[in-house]
């Protein structure tokens, strides 16, 4: 008996087969900002999202709380940018599936987050610096920025924790754009910031948000639970659970569990 | 048949709590017949404040279900939330009727095997856990007559307390639990404990005489995903106007918002 019980609900999922032509999503992007004294801000979260979890969704909520408190930025919207299949990471479901799961998550639970499929549609892996440039292009050149009384600056920041990055990219990402880092309990982000030359140089562009509720829902563990027939309920939205089940994602190969 | 340990103050519905309907024991998700005659039918009960209920509380039951899927021996029939009475006088407690309603919203919208029992919350005096378990035993096995097997025989349903490691740790605090109650809870019924990373549950089991005596009735489940969504923090977030999204079901968030729960005192 499988421990994964289907929670049946009918959803009208916006079909996003990669056969349909690409369009940059703007439906939650306001045309006018509310407070001219602030800098309009858009957050981009790059990642595998295999699958997207409540932790990924919480990250944006925490960021929203944080920027409401600060007077500097007006947070307009947030985007998930799932990595392309060419990243060749273990456990990656097909890009189309990962995009659809992110969409299910934001469409059924959120009124300000969107999913951009530009990065996963690329035939080669795109560095984060390039992905941010794409957002810059779409939001500010194609989109024309956002209306303010004065010609205000604009800023795009990306979530992330610095892994292995080329110095040029780091300067571009943290210097030209900026970073919002969700600090996990037990990690010493400020110490790291101090020790890392490039991050330190651009420290005014680095925002650290403390995670007050320790909520370590890792996609890796979720994939493992699915593989072992264990419950993943209450770790990610039900529509995403249903999708995983309906498409047989993350099950062991050659399994008789079909 | 009277339960071994008597409930005090029984019968005064609606005094605290402010319930507007009369009490009836929920049994709609208890099947008439169990699936596997070779197993012991089991119901687990989680006592707590649930102010408010969170995804962590709901996850506890899922983890327990996974555990019993693996183990031979028990067929897990259903699970109950039993919110504590307002008489418990704990800080941060919303009214019992609110807490019960929020639990119901949570299980109705997300689960097909969990129910909420409001008996404990309707009592005008605090009821000890041992007495609450007796109430479930009475309702499921006396009133409800237990459960039928495939072969038609009637079987008593075993009841166990589902709890986090902090409850088990409290067993060790002097004066909190009487020995008689501990023997009753762990010996006559049993405990399913969700172990939090960092706590040494097995070490504690070894060191505690009564728990050790009934160790065959103490099942320990390791929490593999560290997911510490505490109700205390959620109340704090609400008070500070911070987001609680994705920490508990949306219908419960809406309820908290509609009824203006946990806002700062004016």
């Amino acid at each position: 008996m499988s421990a994964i019980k289907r929670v049946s609900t009918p959803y009208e999922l916006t079909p996003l087969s990669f056969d349909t032509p690409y369009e940059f999503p703007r439906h939650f992007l306001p045309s006018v900002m509310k407070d001219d004294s602030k800098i309009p801000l858009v957050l981009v979260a790059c990642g595998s999202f295999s699958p997207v979890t409540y932790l990924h969704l919480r990250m944006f909520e925490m960021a929203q709380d944080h920027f409401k408190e600060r007077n500097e930025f007006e947070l307009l919207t947030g985007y998930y940018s799932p990595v392309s299949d060419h990243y060749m990471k273990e456990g990656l479901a097909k890009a189309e599936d990962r995009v659809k799961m992110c969409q299910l998550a934001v469409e059924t639970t959120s009124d300000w987050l969107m999913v951009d499929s530009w990065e996963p549609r690329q035939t080669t892996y795109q560095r984060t610096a390039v992905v941010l440039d794409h957002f810059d292009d779409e939001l500010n050149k194609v989109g024309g920025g956002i209306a303010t009384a004065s010609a205000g600056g604009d800023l795009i920041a990306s979530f992330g924790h610095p892994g292995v990055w080329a110095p040029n990219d780091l300067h571009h990402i943290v210097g030209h754009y900026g970073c919002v880092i969700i600090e996990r309990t037990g990690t010493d982000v400020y110490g790291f910031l101090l020790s890392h030359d490039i991050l330190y140089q651009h420290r005014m562009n680095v925002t650290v948000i403390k995670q007050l509720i320790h909520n370590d829902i890792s996609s890796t563990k979720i994939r493992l639970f699915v593989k072992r027939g264990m419950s993943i309920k209450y770790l990610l939205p039900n529509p995403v659970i249903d999708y995983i089940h309906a498409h047989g994602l993350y099950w062991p190969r050659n399994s008789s569990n079909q | 048949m009277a339960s071994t340990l008597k409930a005090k103050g029984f019968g005064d519905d609606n005094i605290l709590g402010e319930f507007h309907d009369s009490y009836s024991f929920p049994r709609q998700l208890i099947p008439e017949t169990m699936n596997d005659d070779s197993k012991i039918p089991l119901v687990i009960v989680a006592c707590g404040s649930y102010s408010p209920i969170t995804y962590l509380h709901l996850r506890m039951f899922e983890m327990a279900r996974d555990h019993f899927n693996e183990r031979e021996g028990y067929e897990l029939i259903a699970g109950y939330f039993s919110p504590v009475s307002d008489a418990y006088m704990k800080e941060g407690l919303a009214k019992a009727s609110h807490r019960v309603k929020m639990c119901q919203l949570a299980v109705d919208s997300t689960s097909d095997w969990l129910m909420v029992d409001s008996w404990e919350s309707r009592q005008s005096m605090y009821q000890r856990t041992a007495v609450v378990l007796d109430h479930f035993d009475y309702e499921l096995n006396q009133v409800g007559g237990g459960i039928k097997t495939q072969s038609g025989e009637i079987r008593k349903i075993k009841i166990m307390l589902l709890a986090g490691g902090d409850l088990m740790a409290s067993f060790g605090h002097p004066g909190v639990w009487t020995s008689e109650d501990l023997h009753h809870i762990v010996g006559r019924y049993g405990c399913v404990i969700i172990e939090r990373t960092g706590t040494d549950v097995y070490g504690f089991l070894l060191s505690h005489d009564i728990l050790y005596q009934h160790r065959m009735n103490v099942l320990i489940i390791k929490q593999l995903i560290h997911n510490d969504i505490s109700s205390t923090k959620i109340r704090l977030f609400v008070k500070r106007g911070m987001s609680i999204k994705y920490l508990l079901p949306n219908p419960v968030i809406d309820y908290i918002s509609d009824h203006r729960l946990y806002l700062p005192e004016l």
Side-chain angles (χ1 to χ4, degrees), chain B residues 14 27 30 54 73 79 99 104 112 137 143-144 178 180 204 239 261:
Chain B
N14 296 340
R27 25 181 119 247
I30 307 274
T54 71
R99 293 182 288 110
Q104 277 174 331
D112 63 354
D137 191 19
V143 177
T178 67
E180 192 189 25
F204 184 74
K239 191 170 170 184
L261 301 181

Side-chain angles (χ1 to χ4, degrees), chain A residues 146-154:
Chain A
I146 190 164
T148 58
S150 58
D154 32 55

Side-chain angles (χ1 to χ4, degrees), chain A residues 222-247:
Chain A
I222 289 188
R223 294 196 298 273
L224 184 59
F225 278 33
V226 173
K227 191 170 167 182
R228 305 288 182 222
M230 289 160 70
S231 163
I232 53 174
K233 206 133 185 239
Y234 310 118
L235 301 173
L236 61 170
N238 282 338
V240 183
I241 298 180
D242 289 347
Y243 187 95
I244 291 171
H245 193 71
H247 291 76

Side-chain angles (χ1 to χ4, degrees), chain A residues 46-47 82-89 92 118-131 164-165 169 173:
Chain A
C46 298
V83 79
S84 125
D85 285 336
H86 298 279
Y87 190 49
M88 306 275 248
K89 188 173 161 191
L92 232 50
W118 177 83
E119 185 185 350
R121 286 174 186 254
Q122 302 313 301
T123 51
T124 55
Y125 167 65
Q126 299 303 316
R127 290 155 21 245
T128 301
V130 170
V131 173
V164 182
W165 304 82
D169 273 7
I173 293 166

Side-chain angles (χ1 to χ4, degrees), chain B residues 144-160:
Chain B
I147 194 168
K148 283 213 279 274
T149 63
Q150 293 287 323
S151 59
E153 151 212 346
I154 306 254
R155 205 171 274 182
K156 249 187 80 152
I157 297 175
K158 182 164 175 71
I159 294 158
M160 294 179 87

Side-chain angles (χ1 to χ4, degrees), chain A residues 1 3 5 54 57-58 61 65 109-110 212-216 221 225 230-235, chain B residues 55 58-59 62 66 69 110-112 224-229 233 237 241-247:
Chain A
M1 177 173 94
K5 185 86 193 266
Y54 275 142
L57 292 157
R58 274 298 295 163
E61 294 293 306
D65 282 339
T109 70
S110 178
L212 293 165
I213 287 184
H214 199 17
N215 195 11
D216 264 342
K221 287 218 173 112
F225 278 33
M230 289 160 70
S231 163
I232 53 174
K233 206 133 185 239
Y234 310 118
L235 301 173
Chain B
Y55 276 141
L58 294 156
R59 274 298 295 163
E62 292 293 306
D66 281 341
N69 274 346
T110 68
S111 181
D112 63 354
L224 294 166
I225 288 183
H226 202 14
N227 194 13
D228 265 341
I229 305 172
K233 287 222 174 110
F237 277 34
M242 289 161 69
S243 162
I244 54 174
K245 208 136 182 236
Y246 308 119
L247 301 173

